[in-house]
Amino acid sequence: QHHSFHRQCLYGEYVYISGLEYRSFWKWNKYKSVPGYFKVSATDINAQPEFVEKEMKYVPSSYLWQDAERKIYAKSFNFTRTGAVNLEIGDDGTPYYVQSLYKEYGLSGKKRYDEFKTAVLNSETGETKVYDLKDVPSEIDAPLTSAVASSMNRYYGKYGKGWLNSLFSKDDVKI
């Protein structure tokens, strides 16, 4: 069973990437790693998916200490996570899971759009690093996930000229 496809540029070609996932706790307990991921051309409508062998121990459907999201949380518990983790393939073929993180304003839960960070988990070794956006390695194509981009579009479309404007004159409000 595999996860949704995520587009990225790999070796100069636009491709969709999809990691394999466990169907149950029992499958994870038996195998403890998935054998790789699929990639398929994002520009050739006739392309067939290609399986890439790369043992991945830390994936979102793993359990306990191998759960990718739990590993990321352990390194970033003082930040809020948003959106699903994305699978990205590094320049040398290393598979990474990437998660967007942010700080909230007080108790309101509103995102601080000036304080996004990116967590990067090596799915082979489990090594996890948290970066400021400006410091994310260039091999990570999407340091902000699509969930964050969508949220920013909604927020700035509505509140670009302030909260009061969004309620009354609604000048340039776009939803």
Side-chain angles (χ1 to χ4, degrees):
Q1 180 180 3
H2 52 83
H3 216 53
S4 60
F5 280 88
H6 171 71
R7 192 177 77 167
Q8 68 179 93
C9 188
L10 186 60
Y11 312 123
E13 176 191 6
Y14 283 102
V15 295
Y16 287 106
I17 299 294
S18 179
L20 292 174
E21 298 289 346
Y22 297 106
R23 284 190 203 154
S24 69
F25 172 82
W26 307 110
K27 293 289 184 187
W28 168 77
N29 196 45
K30 179 177 180 181
Y31 296 107
K32 294 292 198 291
S33 68
V34 296
Y37 58 88
F38 283 97
K39 76 172 184 173
V40 64
S41 172
T43 56
D44 180 359
I45 60 171
N46 298 313
Q48 295 298 308
E50 174 190 342
F51 185 72
V52 179
E53 288 189 32
K54 203 70 155 164
E55 185 179 19
M56 299 162 60
K57 291 176 72 173
Y58 301 87
V59 299
S61 60
S62 291
Y63 290 83
L64 305 176
W65 59 90
Q66 287 182 290
D67 179 333
E69 294 188 27
R70 181 176 287 191
K71 290 286 287 182
I72 288 171
Y73 176 76
K75 281 283 186 174
S76 59
F77 59 87
N78 53 335
F79 283 86
T80 301
R81 294 168 292 153
T82 184
V85 292
N86 284 343
L87 177 61
E88 293 244 4
I89 308 305
D91 295 340
D92 62 356
T94 301
Y96 297 97
Y97 276 99
V98 177
Q99 174 82 63
S100 295
L101 310 166
Y102 66 93
K103 286 277 192 187
E104 294 180 338
Y105 282 109
L107 299 175
S108 70
K110 289 192 174 174
K111 298 174 180 66
R112 293 191 56 160
Y113 288 107
D114 58 339
E115 287 200 29
F116 274 108
K117 294 194 181 289
T118 300
V120 179
L121 163 71
N122 182 319
S123 73
E124 294 176 293
T125 66
E127 180 183 22
T128 306
K129 295 182 179 176
V130 175
Y131 297 95
D132 289 330
L133 280 181
K134 64 183 174 48
D135 299 324
V136 175
S138 60
E139 65 184 335
I140 302 300
D141 289 350
L144 288 179
T145 61
S146 56
V148 171
S150 178
S151 172
M152 290 175 83
N153 281 337
R154 279 194 312 275
Y155 184 85
Y156 287 110
K158 187 170 183 179
Y159 301 112
K161 290 195 173 178
W163 178 72
L164 284 175
N165 178 70
S166 75
L167 296 175
F168 299 108
S169 66
K170 300 188 179 182
D171 184 33
D172 278 342
V173 170
K174 299 171 187 69
I175 298 179

